[in-house]
Amino acid sequence: MLFEVWVPEKTVKLLVAGEERAMERGDDGWWRLSSEAPPGTDYAYVLSDSPGPLPDPRSPWQPNGVHGPSRVYDHSAFAWTDQAWTGKQLPGSILYELHVGTFTPAGTFDAAIERLDHLVDLGVDLVELLPVNAFNGSHNWGYDGVCWYAPHEPYGGPDGLKRFVDAAHARGLGVVLDVVYNHFGPSGAYAPMFAPYLSKHGSNPWGDSINLDGPLSDEVRRYIAENVLMWLRDYHVDGLRLDAVHALVDHSAVNLLEQLAVEVETLSTHLGRPLSLIAESDLNDPRLITPREAGGFGLTAQWDDDVHHALHTLLTGERQGYYGDFGSLDCLRTVLEGAFFHAGTWSSFRQRHHGRPVNRSFVPGHRFVAFLQNHDQIGNRAIGDRISALLSPGLLKVGATLLLTGPFTPMLFMGEEWAASSPWQFFTSHPEPELADAVRTGRRREFAAHGWASADVPDPQDPATFERSKLDWDESAKPEHAEILALYKRLIALRRQYSDLSDPWLSRVEVWHGDNFVVIRRGGCVVAANLAPAPQTVSLRSVPSKVLLATAPGVVLQRDRVELPAESAVVVAAR
């Protein structure tokens, strides 16, 4: 086997089979050595200034944790059964976000496989996994990964992830993987000891910035690009969600995101199946998803927080923090017709103008991933309470209807489809006492500033916080939860049945509203929602012919109107 490691400014030796071996340095700063080492062999590197052996920055397998040795892994040895898989494109799909550790009681890839049939029955197309690359400790959200090439061993390691993807493909489900390239986690991040992986631009809220445009940054960019290609090629993943790309500081003429889009398009052409890159961005800048031939970066899609904020504030009445500018029916109209609320407009939270308008005639809505809930919007609340804990069943159904009949790519968060009662809280398992205490104290200080008592904020390090966040699958069969589940299934099926409901063109979305009601026309389908606690008669501006779906009994069609029960929504065919 050829061992290779990039160490441009130090000397390095290979430790394999208990023996240190000299390596040969190339002019490119890469050290290489061919050595007999079958799959399953442990190895590490010893730097000239390191206190002991260190894992490979590109380690494919960390069976003994992020501080242990790396292990040789043969990607060609896995027996895939998805040879007939032709992929799953993002346009027209329903995404389902899940965290492997809390999706099931066992918290493994194999246990998650046992629940895939539920997702098929629900109508999901793509399963999006929160980050699964190796981090220190047994459980956390996954955004503190340090071994970017190695799937987390407690989840099932490399073979476990492959079994999950293979099983998903067998059921017609694609897989999207959340990846983090804007920082390394705080424990076990040895890569910067090997080479200048960190930037001199400073830090972001989660750690030191990555060196994307400074001296020797070419190899850092290759480190990221080859990681992207590895997940898509070697693990057969269908897409990646790129975490917080606004924290990627890159002043290069060719931005890293554009570079990734080019390389992924090349791989997609070779493999003959669609591959998606989905950005999480706080910039409200449509250039990310504008094709390269039109001067953009060419990413497939981006998360759209403005849709979430518009729905959440309207339904719950919350206005704190970054929700301050949201909450009106006019705000909802703006995002349903134009994707962004802040589109070159004043943001009171940022105290500046923010965003850029979307060209409704040229940018399709499927390039925006919309959601009523996600891991951040639940887990970054003090007690991790879901929106189902804040709303009446009627308003919860209204929210689901507005999401799943909208022009964007809908995404659900695990358990949302049955209004799961389990919270999803912020949890960690840092073994280092000082780091654990810093996280615990910082979390409580953050929410104390918003009026929460320290005792009310769950301790991230308490194992009970992690256990509370696991789904209770038994409750999905209870009447009040089964009713919500049935609605989600009907809404997804309706979206598939009527092409007007999946039509992505924002220029064909027409929204009007009045006193606690909103109406959305989608071609021959009209969606009307009554948010008031009393029945209302709403003008449809068209003649309804039949009710396609109602969230509550008692809907009455009139000549060009509909009478809606309190806190309800209806989808009608109209002309």
Side-chain angles (χ1 to χ4, degrees):
M1 173 178 170
L2 179 62
F3 289 92
E4 299 179 283
V5 63
W6 180 51
V7 188
E9 298 172 335
K10 304 175 184 179
T11 59
V12 61
K13 293 182 180 180
L14 171 69
L15 178 65
V16 63
E19 177 185 345
E20 281 191 13
R21 302 183 186 181
M23 304 185 75
E24 183 175 346
R25 187 190 191 280
D27 293 338
D28 54 2
W30 280 84
W31 296 73
R32 298 176 175 89
L33 176 66
S34 292
S35 178
E36 184 68 25
T41 301
D42 286 350
Y43 70 99
Y45 292 110
V46 180
L47 299 176
S48 53
D49 62 352
S50 65
L54 301 176
D56 185 354
R58 299 188 182 215
S59 170
W61 192 5
Q62 288 293 125
N64 297 304
V66 299
H67 299 297
S70 301
R71 183 167 291 177
V72 176
Y73 181 79
D74 181 6
H75 277 292
S76 67
F78 186 82
W80 290 96
T81 65
D82 67 348
Q83 289 78 11
W85 178 250
T86 56
K88 184 76 70 172
Q89 68 170 14
L90 187 69
S93 290
I94 306 288
L95 283 161
Y96 186 96
E97 187 186 33
L98 69 86
H99 175 263
V100 174
T102 52
F103 185 56
T104 64
T108 65
F109 294 124
D110 289 329
I113 290 172
E114 299 174 7
R115 295 296 180 178
L116 290 178
D117 289 336
H118 165 83
L119 302 185
V120 173
D121 188 48
L122 177 60
V124 166
D125 300 287
L126 289 159
V127 183
E128 181 173 315
L129 303 180
L130 268 67
V132 302
N133 55 303
F135 53 82
N136 196 23
S138 59
H139 57 267
N140 70 29
W141 282 15
Y143 294 91
D144 282 335
V146 290
C147 296
W148 290 0
Y149 283 67
H152 193 49
E153 189 66 16
Y155 291 166
D159 279 359
L161 177 56
K162 289 183 176 181
R163 286 192 297 270
F164 178 86
V165 175
D166 200 46
H169 288 173
R171 292 162 171 81
L173 295 169
V175 178
V176 175
L177 186 61
D178 199 339
V179 289
V180 184
Y181 298 129
N182 51 58
H183 76 289
F184 288 104
S187 179
Y190 296 113
M193 296 179 66
F194 286 76
Y197 287 94
L198 300 180
S199 170
K200 295 181 180 179
H201 289 307
S203 61
N204 56 54
W206 310 286
D208 291 329
S209 297
I210 303 300
N211 176 22
L212 301 179
D213 58 6
L216 299 179
S217 60
D218 287 353
E219 284 294 351
V220 179
R221 295 166 73 102
R222 289 294 342 137
Y223 180 72
I224 294 173
E226 288 172 18
N227 184 255
V228 164
L229 299 177
M230 179 201 73
W231 295 121
L232 299 169
R233 179 191 61 234
D234 299 334
Y235 286 90
H236 294 201
V237 167
D238 301 282
L240 299 176
R241 182 259 193 191
L242 309 174
D243 179 66
V245 300
H246 51 272
L248 298 172
V249 181
D250 183 8
H251 298 115
S252 307
V254 178
N255 188 276
L256 174 70
L257 298 176
E258 181 182 356
Q259 176 184 337
L260 297 180
V262 170
E263 298 201 30
V264 169
E265 180 68 20
T266 301
L267 180 62
S268 174
T269 303
H270 175 67
L271 296 178
R273 58 184 176 93
L275 300 173
S276 300
L277 288 178
I278 305 167
E280 181 203 16
S281 172
D282 187 40
L283 301 176
N284 280 22
D285 188 350
R287 285 180 297 180
L288 294 176
I289 54 172
T290 298
R292 292 181 62 247
E293 54 267 37
F297 290 170
L299 301 180
T300 313
Q302 69 171 84
W303 277 25
D304 191 336
D305 280 339
D306 282 14
V307 176
H308 168 271
H309 298 349
L311 287 171
H312 183 92
T313 53
L314 181 65
L315 295 168
T316 66
E318 293 186 345
R319 299 291 188 276
Q320 72 275 17
Y322 49 71
Y323 290 154
D325 295 334
F326 297 83
S328 68
L329 283 164
D330 197 53
C331 167
L332 180 64
R333 178 190 62 80
T334 298
V335 299
L336 289 177
E337 291 184 345
F340 293 148
F341 180 66
H342 287 305
T345 55
W346 176 257
S347 164
S348 62
F349 175 71
R350 298 174 180 85
Q351 288 292 293
R352 61 173 174 80
H353 285 76
H354 183 66
R356 166 181 276 186
V358 171
N359 187 321
R360 299 173 65 229
S361 298
F362 291 95
V363 181
H366 62 63
R367 292 186 187 159
F368 301 92
V369 175
F371 33 84
L372 190 60
Q373 304 180 77
N374 67 31
H375 74 276
D376 268 335
Q377 300 301 338
I378 302 172
N380 283 331
R381 297 173 64 84
I383 59 174
D385 46 338
R386 295 169 179 261
I387 198 171
S388 53
L390 308 175
L391 298 180
S392 66
L395 286 181
L396 188 63
K397 294 174 183 178
V398 169
T401 302
L402 293 175
L403 173 70
L404 289 166
T405 60
F408 312 111
T409 297
M411 185 181 76
L412 314 179
F413 182 70
M414 61 178 195
E416 172 185 341
E417 69 274 21
W418 74 74
S421 63
S422 55
W424 204 72
Q425 300 177 332
F426 182 69
F427 47 82
T428 55
S429 59
H430 298 300
E432 302 90 342
E434 290 185 3
L435 178 57
D437 188 59
V439 170
R440 181 186 298 114
T441 302
R443 186 78 174 172
R444 288 175 173 167
R445 183 186 304 118
E446 175 187 356
F447 285 103
H450 296 285
W452 288 85
S454 293
D456 294 334
V457 180
D459 179 359
Q461 284 288 122
D462 185 347
T465 304
F466 173 58
E467 293 298 325
R468 272 194 303 272
S469 300
K470 293 188 176 185
L471 288 180
D472 175 7
W473 283 87
D474 290 338
E475 73 176 0
S476 65
K478 296 177 180 177
E480 65 273 25
H481 297 284
E483 182 179 353
I484 299 295
L485 178 58
L487 176 66
Y488 269 82
K489 290 180 180 179
R490 289 168 56 210
L491 283 166
I492 292 173
L494 194 69
R495 185 180 179 90
R496 293 237 159 74
Q497 183 178 356
Y498 291 91
S499 60
D500 286 332
L501 295 179
S502 59
D503 182 347
W505 294 109
L506 300 176
S507 58
R508 297 206 281 253
V509 179
E510 182 185 3
V511 181
W512 62 94
H513 56 83
D515 184 16
N516 272 325
F517 73 83
V518 62
V519 182
I520 306 104
R521 184 171 186 109
R522 310 285 317 280
C525 294
V526 178
V527 182
N530 175 19
L531 290 87
Q536 286 204 80
T537 299
V538 174
S539 171
L540 298 178
R541 299 183 184 177
S542 56
V543 179
S545 58
K546 66 175 178 177
V547 173
L548 304 179
L549 179 146
T551 65
V555 170
V556 178
L557 296 182
Q558 301 175 3
R559 190 174 69 87
D560 60 352
R561 300 171 182 271
V562 61
E563 183 178 328
L564 290 172
E567 297 183 344
S568 71
V570 66
V571 185
V572 302
R575 62 184 188 277

